[in-house]
Amino acid sequence: MTALLDTDGPGSPPRDNGELVFAEPWESRAFGMAVALADAGAFTWDAFRDRLIARIARWEAEHGVDNPSFRYYRCWLRALEDVLVSAGELAPGDVLNRSSTLAERPAGHDHDH
């Protein structure tokens, strides 16, 4: 089953002329990861949507509803982490620890030239 996306409401993804809009390539990858993991049964789409709405509400409460620094897919990633931790697929802090490890690599670490 492919996830059913809200087209309206607080959890609906950004669209332009009815089409999904991704400002940066990582956003489409984050989108695809969530849909694929839901389809694979790692969590239910409803559980993910509930966490996404909660993450957006939390961000708006902390920064304001009309704050121009809002990034929908940053909330998407946080919701994905939340639902994976809740499902026992990740331990709390796994994403931060892995991100820190990757960030500490020297520039060009994977190139010989």
mmCIF file of all heavy atoms in Angstrom, residues 49-61 70 74-82:
data_model
loop_
_atom_site.group_PDB
_atom_site.id
_atom_site.type_symbol
_atom_site.label_atom_id
_atom_site.label_comp_id
_atom_site.label_asym_id
_atom_site.label_seq_id
_atom_site.Cartn_x
_atom_site.Cartn_y
_atom_site.Cartn_z
ATOM 1 N N ARG A 49 1.921 10.405 10.097
ATOM 2 C CA ARG A 49 1.190 11.666 9.900
ATOM 3 C C ARG A 49 0.925 12.355 11.246
ATOM 4 O O ARG A 49 1.084 13.567 11.359
ATOM 5 C CB ARG A 49 -0.116 11.429 9.156
ATOM 6 C CG ARG A 49 -0.857 12.736 8.866
ATOM 7 C CD ARG A 49 -2.156 12.536 8.113
ATOM 8 N NE ARG A 49 -2.928 11.451 8.668
ATOM 9 C CZ ARG A 49 -3.466 10.477 7.951
ATOM 10 N NH1 ARG A 49 -3.328 10.456 6.655
ATOM 11 N NH2 ARG A 49 -4.158 9.522 8.528
ATOM 12 N N ASP A 50 0.544 11.574 12.261
ATOM 13 C CA ASP A 50 0.297 12.164 13.584
ATOM 14 C C ASP A 50 1.564 12.821 14.141
ATOM 15 O O ASP A 50 1.517 13.908 14.711
ATOM 16 C CB ASP A 50 -0.201 11.101 14.568
ATOM 17 C CG ASP A 50 -1.604 10.620 14.250
ATOM 18 O OD1 ASP A 50 -2.310 11.273 13.437
ATOM 19 O OD2 ASP A 50 -1.991 9.575 14.805
ATOM 20 N N ARG A 51 2.693 12.159 13.962
ATOM 21 C CA ARG A 51 3.958 12.733 14.456
ATOM 22 C C ARG A 51 4.386 13.939 13.628
ATOM 23 O O ARG A 51 4.954 14.895 14.158
ATOM 24 C CB ARG A 51 5.033 11.661 14.487
ATOM 25 C CG ARG A 51 4.826 10.748 15.693
ATOM 26 C CD ARG A 51 5.707 9.540 15.662
ATOM 27 N NE ARG A 51 5.569 8.768 16.884
ATOM 28 C CZ ARG A 51 4.585 7.910 17.113
ATOM 29 N NH1 ARG A 51 3.647 7.736 16.229
ATOM 30 N NH2 ARG A 51 4.524 7.237 18.252
ATOM 31 N N LEU A 52 4.107 13.907 12.343
ATOM 32 C CA LEU A 52 4.424 15.059 11.499
ATOM 33 C C LEU A 52 3.608 16.277 11.926
ATOM 34 O O LEU A 52 4.155 17.381 12.079
ATOM 35 C CB LEU A 52 4.158 14.728 10.031
ATOM 36 C CG LEU A 52 4.350 15.875 9.032
ATOM 37 C CD1 LEU A 52 5.773 16.411 9.073
ATOM 38 C CD2 LEU A 52 3.978 15.394 7.633
ATOM 39 N N ILE A 53 2.328 16.080 12.135
ATOM 40 C CA ILE A 53 1.474 17.191 12.578
ATOM 41 C C ILE A 53 1.960 17.718 13.932
ATOM 42 O O ILE A 53 2.025 18.930 14.148
ATOM 43 C CB ILE A 53 -0.006 16.741 12.625
ATOM 44 C CG1 ILE A 53 -0.520 16.510 11.190
ATOM 45 C CG2 ILE A 53 -0.863 17.762 13.362
ATOM 46 C CD1 ILE A 53 -1.869 15.820 11.120
ATOM 47 N N ALA A 54 2.331 16.809 14.831
ATOM 48 C CA ALA A 54 2.842 17.230 16.146
ATOM 49 C C ALA A 54 4.151 18.004 16.003
ATOM 50 O O ALA A 54 4.367 18.999 16.701
ATOM 51 C CB ALA A 54 3.032 16.008 17.048
ATOM 52 N N ARG A 55 5.041 17.549 15.119
ATOM 53 C CA ARG A 55 6.313 18.258 14.910
ATOM 54 C C ARG A 55 6.088 19.652 14.335
ATOM 55 O O ARG A 55 6.761 20.611 14.711
ATOM 56 C CB ARG A 55 7.228 17.450 13.990
ATOM 57 C CG ARG A 55 7.972 16.368 14.713
ATOM 58 C CD ARG A 55 8.984 16.975 15.651
ATOM 59 N NE ARG A 55 9.751 15.954 16.343
ATOM 60 C CZ ARG A 55 10.815 16.226 17.075
ATOM 61 N NH1 ARG A 55 11.251 17.459 17.196
ATOM 62 N NH2 ARG A 55 11.446 15.276 17.692
ATOM 63 N N ILE A 56 5.168 19.766 13.390
ATOM 64 C CA ILE A 56 4.864 21.079 12.811
ATOM 65 C C ILE A 56 4.279 21.988 13.881
ATOM 66 O O ILE A 56 4.677 23.158 14.005
ATOM 67 C CB ILE A 56 3.912 20.932 11.604
ATOM 68 C CG1 ILE A 56 4.655 20.240 10.444
ATOM 69 C CG2 ILE A 56 3.371 22.292 11.171
ATOM 70 C CD1 ILE A 56 3.759 19.826 9.291
ATOM 71 N N ALA A 57 3.353 21.479 14.676
ATOM 72 C CA ALA A 57 2.735 22.281 15.749
ATOM 73 C C ALA A 57 3.793 22.726 16.759
ATOM 74 O O ALA A 57 3.782 23.875 17.219
ATOM 75 C CB ALA A 57 1.632 21.473 16.436
ATOM 76 N N ARG A 58 4.702 21.829 17.083
ATOM 77 C CA ARG A 58 5.777 22.163 18.032
ATOM 78 C C ARG A 58 6.667 23.264 17.461
ATOM 79 O O ARG A 58 7.015 24.211 18.159
ATOM 80 C CB ARG A 58 6.596 20.909 18.329
ATOM 81 C CG ARG A 58 7.716 21.105 19.300
ATOM 82 C CD ARG A 58 8.326 19.770 19.616
ATOM 83 N NE ARG A 58 9.617 19.919 20.234
ATOM 84 C CZ ARG A 58 10.412 18.925 20.558
ATOM 85 N NH1 ARG A 58 10.033 17.687 20.316
ATOM 86 N NH2 ARG A 58 11.563 19.135 21.115
ATOM 87 N N TRP A 59 7.034 23.131 16.186
ATOM 88 C CA TRP A 59 7.876 24.148 15.561
ATOM 89 C C TRP A 59 7.154 25.502 15.564
ATOM 90 O O TRP A 59 7.755 26.529 15.901
ATOM 91 C CB TRP A 59 8.247 23.737 14.132
ATOM 92 C CG TRP A 59 9.347 24.584 13.578
ATOM 93 C CD1 TRP A 59 10.671 24.296 13.598
ATOM 94 C CD2 TRP A 59 9.225 25.874 12.981
ATOM 95 N NE1 TRP A 59 11.379 25.337 13.040
ATOM 96 C CE2 TRP A 59 10.517 26.316 12.654
ATOM 97 C CE3 TRP A 59 8.147 26.706 12.680
ATOM 98 C CZ2 TRP A 59 10.764 27.541 12.047
ATOM 99 C CZ3 TRP A 59 8.387 27.933 12.076
ATOM 100 C CH2 TRP A 59 9.679 28.337 11.765
ATOM 101 N N GLU A 60 5.886 25.484 15.193
ATOM 102 C CA GLU A 60 5.118 26.741 15.147
ATOM 103 C C GLU A 60 4.983 27.353 16.538
ATOM 104 O O GLU A 60 5.025 28.578 16.675
ATOM 105 C CB GLU A 60 3.752 26.499 14.520
ATOM 106 C CG GLU A 60 3.826 26.238 13.028
ATOM 107 C CD GLU A 60 2.487 25.899 12.408
ATOM 108 O OE1 GLU A 60 1.518 25.617 13.141
ATOM 109 O OE2 GLU A 60 2.421 25.909 11.168
ATOM 110 N N ALA A 61 4.822 26.519 17.560
ATOM 111 C CA ALA A 61 4.710 27.036 18.927
ATOM 112 C C ALA A 61 6.023 27.684 19.371
ATOM 113 O O ALA A 61 6.018 28.672 20.109
ATOM 114 C CB ALA A 61 4.321 25.909 19.882
ATOM 115 N N PHE A 70 10.587 28.458 8.473
ATOM 116 C CA PHE A 70 9.955 27.134 8.533
ATOM 117 C C PHE A 70 10.347 26.298 7.318
ATOM 118 O O PHE A 70 10.310 26.771 6.185
ATOM 119 C CB PHE A 70 8.427 27.262 8.586
ATOM 120 C CG PHE A 70 7.716 25.938 8.541
ATOM 121 C CD1 PHE A 70 7.682 25.120 9.647
ATOM 122 C CD2 PHE A 70 7.097 25.509 7.377
ATOM 123 C CE1 PHE A 70 7.033 23.893 9.617
ATOM 124 C CE2 PHE A 70 6.444 24.283 7.330
ATOM 125 C CZ PHE A 70 6.404 23.481 8.454
ATOM 126 N N ARG A 74 12.123 19.507 7.192
ATOM 127 C CA ARG A 74 12.889 19.330 8.437
ATOM 128 C C ARG A 74 11.957 18.719 9.488
ATOM 129 O O ARG A 74 12.353 17.828 10.239
ATOM 130 C CB ARG A 74 13.483 20.644 8.907
ATOM 131 C CG ARG A 74 14.601 21.129 8.012
ATOM 132 C CD ARG A 74 15.448 22.193 8.671
ATOM 133 N NE ARG A 74 16.422 22.716 7.758
ATOM 134 C CZ ARG A 74 17.567 22.105 7.431
ATOM 135 N NH1 ARG A 74 17.870 20.964 7.983
ATOM 136 N NH2 ARG A 74 18.394 22.644 6.563
ATOM 137 N N CYS A 75 10.709 19.192 9.545
ATOM 138 C CA CYS A 75 9.726 18.570 10.439
ATOM 139 C C CYS A 75 9.451 17.130 9.994
ATOM 140 O O CYS A 75 9.276 16.236 10.830
ATOM 141 C CB CYS A 75 8.428 19.379 10.448
ATOM 142 S SG CYS A 75 8.572 20.997 11.236
ATOM 143 N N TRP A 76 9.436 16.915 8.697
ATOM 144 C CA TRP A 76 9.221 15.572 8.136
ATOM 145 C C TRP A 76 10.288 14.614 8.658
ATOM 146 O O TRP A 76 9.994 13.514 9.115
ATOM 147 C CB TRP A 76 9.272 15.667 6.615
ATOM 148 C CG TRP A 76 9.038 14.408 5.853
ATOM 149 C CD1 TRP A 76 9.934 13.398 5.627
ATOM 150 C CD2 TRP A 76 7.828 14.018 5.200
ATOM 151 N NE1 TRP A 76 9.369 12.422 4.869
ATOM 152 C CE2 TRP A 76 8.086 12.770 4.584
ATOM 153 C CE3 TRP A 76 6.572 14.611 5.073
ATOM 154 C CZ2 TRP A 76 7.104 12.104 3.851
ATOM 155 C CZ3 TRP A 76 5.601 13.934 4.330
ATOM 156 C CH2 TRP A 76 5.873 12.707 3.738
ATOM 157 N N LEU A 77 11.559 15.036 8.596
ATOM 158 C CA LEU A 77 12.645 14.180 9.086
ATOM 159 C C LEU A 77 12.532 13.915 10.579
ATOM 160 O O LEU A 77 12.772 12.794 11.040
ATOM 161 C CB LEU A 77 13.995 14.815 8.778
ATOM 162 C CG LEU A 77 14.507 14.655 7.357
ATOM 163 C CD1 LEU A 77 15.850 15.353 7.203
ATOM 164 C CD2 LEU A 77 14.630 13.184 6.968
ATOM 165 N N ARG A 78 12.188 14.934 11.342
ATOM 166 C CA ARG A 78 12.037 14.744 12.791
ATOM 167 C C ARG A 78 10.891 13.773 13.078
ATOM 168 O O ARG A 78 10.994 12.930 13.968
ATOM 169 C CB ARG A 78 11.783 16.073 13.499
ATOM 170 C CG ARG A 78 12.859 17.107 13.337
ATOM 171 C CD ARG A 78 14.146 16.713 14.053
ATOM 172 N NE ARG A 78 15.161 17.715 13.887
ATOM 173 C CZ ARG A 78 16.159 17.642 13.002
ATOM 174 N NH1 ARG A 78 16.270 16.604 12.213
ATOM 175 N NH2 ARG A 78 17.043 18.599 12.888
ATOM 176 N N ALA A 79 9.801 13.901 12.329
ATOM 177 C CA ALA A 79 8.670 12.984 12.499
ATOM 178 C C ALA A 79 9.068 11.558 12.122
ATOM 179 O O ALA A 79 8.678 10.595 12.793
ATOM 180 C CB ALA A 79 7.481 13.444 11.657
ATOM 181 N N LEU A 80 9.868 11.435 11.073
ATOM 182 C CA LEU A 80 10.326 10.106 10.658
ATOM 183 C C LEU A 80 11.189 9.481 11.752
ATOM 184 O O LEU A 80 11.022 8.309 12.094
ATOM 185 C CB LEU A 80 11.100 10.208 9.340
ATOM 186 C CG LEU A 80 11.623 8.898 8.756
ATOM 187 C CD1 LEU A 80 10.492 7.895 8.542
ATOM 188 C CD2 LEU A 80 12.343 9.178 7.437
ATOM 189 N N GLU A 81 12.089 10.269 12.320
ATOM 190 C CA GLU A 81 12.910 9.767 13.417
ATOM 191 C C GLU A 81 12.015 9.382 14.601
ATOM 192 O O GLU A 81 12.206 8.316 15.204
ATOM 193 C CB GLU A 81 13.924 10.823 13.843
ATOM 194 C CG GLU A 81 14.874 10.333 14.920
ATOM 195 C CD GLU A 81 15.932 11.364 15.295
ATOM 196 O OE1 GLU A 81 16.025 12.418 14.635
ATOM 197 O OE2 GLU A 81 16.653 11.128 16.267
ATOM 198 N N ASP A 82 11.057 10.227 14.934
ATOM 199 C CA ASP A 82 10.142 9.939 16.054
ATOM 200 C C ASP A 82 9.429 8.601 15.873
ATOM 201 O O ASP A 82 9.359 7.790 16.796
ATOM 202 C CB ASP A 82 9.072 11.033 16.191
ATOM 203 C CG ASP A 82 9.621 12.363 16.662
ATOM 204 O OD1 ASP A 82 10.766 12.418 17.153
ATOM 205 O OD2 ASP A 82 8.880 13.367 16.518
#
